[in-house]
Amino acid sequence: MFRRAFWFTAGAAAGVWATTKVNRQLKKLTPESLAAQAADKAVEAGHRLKDFALDVKAGMTQREDELNDVLGLTQDPDRPDNVTALPGQRRLRAIAHDPHDQTTHRSKLSYNRNEDH
């Protein structure tokens, strides 16, 4: 008698456990639950992309600083933070007038359309 009662109770408990397990799985497969899971995954992916973009930006800034040091470029206090200037002598050579520059000679000459006829 106790043996039958034990197996009846064990069977009833297994049935309740299986029913609750199945109901939980069915609730996970409802459209609302699937939409919420998809939204959570999308938010998580967005955070990962943001972290990746910040890492890339930090790496770019670090590499730019390394290149500026190697090339001898310095920060000019009169310019915005992201603009660098050439050191003194190199800057003067870069902005000095080039006597071989043809653009200045062309701008001095006027073009008369009537000369072609």
Side-chain angles (χ1 to χ4, degrees):
M1 168 111 168
F2 286 110
R3 192 174 190 182
R4 285 185 184 171
F6 170 76
W7 286 113
F8 177 76
T9 307
V16 169
W17 177 80
T19 304
T20 56
K21 260 316 212 189
V22 168
N23 284 336
R24 284 183 192 160
Q25 291 299 324
L26 288 175
K27 285 181 183 178
K28 286 183 181 178
L29 296 176
T30 60
E32 296 84 15
S33 177
L34 292 175
Q37 289 175 10
D40 290 342
K41 295 289 183 182
V43 168
E44 184 179 327
H47 289 304
R48 285 186 196 158
L49 280 174
K50 179 182 173 188
D51 291 342
F52 175 72
L54 290 174
D55 288 344
V56 168
K57 186 175 180 181
M60 287 172 43
T61 303
Q62 178 184 358
R63 182 64 177 149
E64 185 177 356
D65 291 341
E66 291 171 1
L67 290 173
N68 286 339
D69 289 342
V70 169
L71 295 174
L73 298 176
T74 58
Q75 286 292 116
D76 189 355
D78 297 334
R79 294 177 184 232
D81 291 338
N82 61 350
V83 178
T84 57
L86 292 171
Q89 292 297 330
R90 289 171 64 190
R91 184 176 0 162
L92 290 177
R93 272 188 266 137
I95 62 174
H97 175 69
D98 184 12
H100 302 294
D101 187 11
Q102 297 295 323
T103 58
T104 56
H105 297 297
R106 280 190 221 130
S107 63
K108 290 180 183 176
L109 298 176
S110 65
Y111 179 70
N112 187 352
R113 289 185 283 169
N114 293 329
E115 291 176 359
D116 292 340
H117 301 286

